[in-house]
Amino acid sequence: RAQILLWQNRAFNSLPRHVRALDVAGVGTEGELTSLGRVDECCLVTEYLEGEPYARDLQKILMNGATCSCDIARADALTDYLVTIHKNPVNEPGLYARRIRELVGHGECLMGLTDSYAEHCPDHPFITADVLEDIEHLAVKWRWRLKSRAHRLRRVHGDFHPWNILFQDGVEFQLLDRSRGEYGDPADDVTCLTSNYLFFSLQQNGWLNGSFGDLFHRFWDRYLEKTGDTEMLEVAAPYFAFRGLVLASPVWYPKVTETVRRRLIEFILAVLASPSFDPNEVNRYCGA
């Protein structure tokens, strides 16, 4: 609502013969009106959190090649947190359909990313326009497979990646930057984090194995055991595609090797082409 009202406040007055907008207002907690019409930019003020991004843990594993007991405990804590917030269904079929549509077509999601490749890397040797078009076509098919599964709507974080997770001592953590909607499919959160285990493993070994492979499979096994949500395997593909496009991006990750980038693209195409996701087949998806 804020997005459309702020836009209308500007756009009404730039078109000849259109009714003029005088202001846009917000309603305060006591029912009072607060003018927003002269706002040029908005900012969000939050408290300051102490802690280290979970990405630092993954970078240490990348350098050292091994996990410690704390790494296992933290992965379990993150799994159990998602199990907890994903517990209760939300009965809003229209919202679920919209969230699936946004996953595929929103400017900050899958199609926005394919446009960024075309804009910033038009001559990439293997992420070509044809490849991006194939990804989009497959994603649209997934939209029609998933949009009716409104029973899956849950509370989600929406951007549950290692740079948005701050650990304090031990397994205590807090989160940053929830930004893509309060509700969605739990697959969004699970694929967001586990795709990063794959990403770091590809950088370390070229495949999903070793310490990161252990974390990846432990996370999936623990989550599925605790939730019983095996249906997630039937819906995970487009979420993995979205997150994979972020991680493979030469814009966001310019220092990633082309080998890693190629395997991420192969992973995206393979999971989109499969009827369901199998955590044990990740290396095959990546081209092994």
Side-chain angles (χ1 to χ4, degrees):
R1 288 193 295 272
Q3 180 186 35
I4 189 64
L5 292 175
L6 288 168
W7 177 82
Q8 287 177 329
N9 187 57
R10 300 291 179 89
F12 279 14
N13 298 342
S14 66
L15 183 67
R17 299 180 181 273
H18 199 288
V19 63
R20 293 188 60 77
L22 301 179
D23 202 349
V24 59
V27 181
T29 57
E30 303 298 326
E32 74 279 10
L33 293 180
T34 302
S35 173
L36 301 175
R38 296 183 181 276
V39 170
D40 282 331
E41 187 55 85
C42 298
C43 66
L44 176 68
V45 180
T46 75
E47 64 181 1
Y48 179 77
L49 292 181
E50 300 284 350
E52 292 288 334
Y54 185 45
R56 298 276 179 87
D57 290 10
L58 303 187
Q59 288 162 348
K60 289 177 184 177
I61 297 171
L62 179 62
M63 294 176 61
N64 300 332
T67 54
C68 63
S69 58
C70 183
D71 294 319
I72 302 300
R74 287 184 170 185
D76 287 351
L78 295 173
T79 311
D80 294 347
Y81 173 77
L82 293 186
V83 170
T84 299
I85 69 168
H86 295 164
K87 183 176 181 179
N88 296 318
V90 179
N91 184 24
E92 291 285 350
L95 177 57
Y96 185 81
R98 188 177 84 204
R99 298 291 283 128
I100 298 298
R101 182 175 72 246
E102 290 170 348
L103 168 67
V104 176
H106 195 280
E108 291 192 1
C109 293
L110 198 146
M111 286 191 178
L113 282 164
T114 57
D115 281 345
S116 75
Y117 278 80
E119 177 182 358
H120 297 287
C121 317
D123 300 317
H124 196 278
F126 58 85
I127 310 177
T128 63
D130 287 343
V131 168
L132 297 172
E133 184 179 352
D134 286 344
I135 291 172
E136 287 188 0
H137 286 177
L138 289 166
V140 169
K141 289 183 178 180
W142 275 100
R143 181 173 101 85
W144 285 92
R145 291 181 202 172
L146 301 189
K147 64 182 296 187
S148 64
R149 301 196 188 204
H151 61 277
R152 295 194 52 77
L153 190 66
R154 300 291 192 280
R155 180 175 56 175
V156 295
H157 176 276
D159 207 14
F160 198 68
H161 63 67
W163 285 266
N164 280 344
I165 302 166
L166 294 183
F167 271 99
Q168 290 86 37
D169 292 333
V171 297
E172 293 299 317
F173 67 91
Q174 291 181 284
L175 304 174
L176 305 173
D177 292 346
R178 186 186 195 194
S179 57
R180 289 196 175 90
E182 189 173 358
Y183 303 105
D185 195 295
D188 190 354
D189 288 337
V190 174
T191 59
C192 185
L193 187 58
T194 58
S195 64
N196 277 274
Y197 293 145
L198 171 60
F199 180 55
F200 277 87
S201 190
L202 290 175
Q203 294 175 76
Q204 185 179 63
N205 302 310
W207 305 105
L208 181 66
N209 55 23
S211 297
F212 290 115
D214 293 341
L215 291 175
F216 181 95
H217 290 293
R218 185 181 183 91
F219 197 106
W220 274 99
D221 290 346
R222 187 180 182 91
Y223 184 90
L224 294 178
E225 179 182 357
K226 284 179 172 281
T227 63
D229 184 15
T230 56
E231 186 185 27
M232 183 178 290
L233 301 174
E234 300 174 13
V235 306
Y239 295 96
F240 267 130
F242 165 43
R243 300 298 174 177
L245 283 171
V246 173
L247 297 171
S249 171
V251 178
W252 294 106
Y253 294 94
K255 296 182 180 180
V256 168
T257 68
E258 292 304 290
T259 298
V260 169
R261 221 180 297 283
R262 182 182 292 275
R263 286 182 179 160
L264 285 169
I265 295 299
E266 290 177 348
F267 173 78
I268 291 168
L269 289 166
V271 296
L272 288 174
S274 300
S276 64
F277 175 71
D278 185 344
N280 296 313
E281 294 294 325
V282 171
N283 286 329
R284 180 176 64 82
Y285 298 146
C286 290

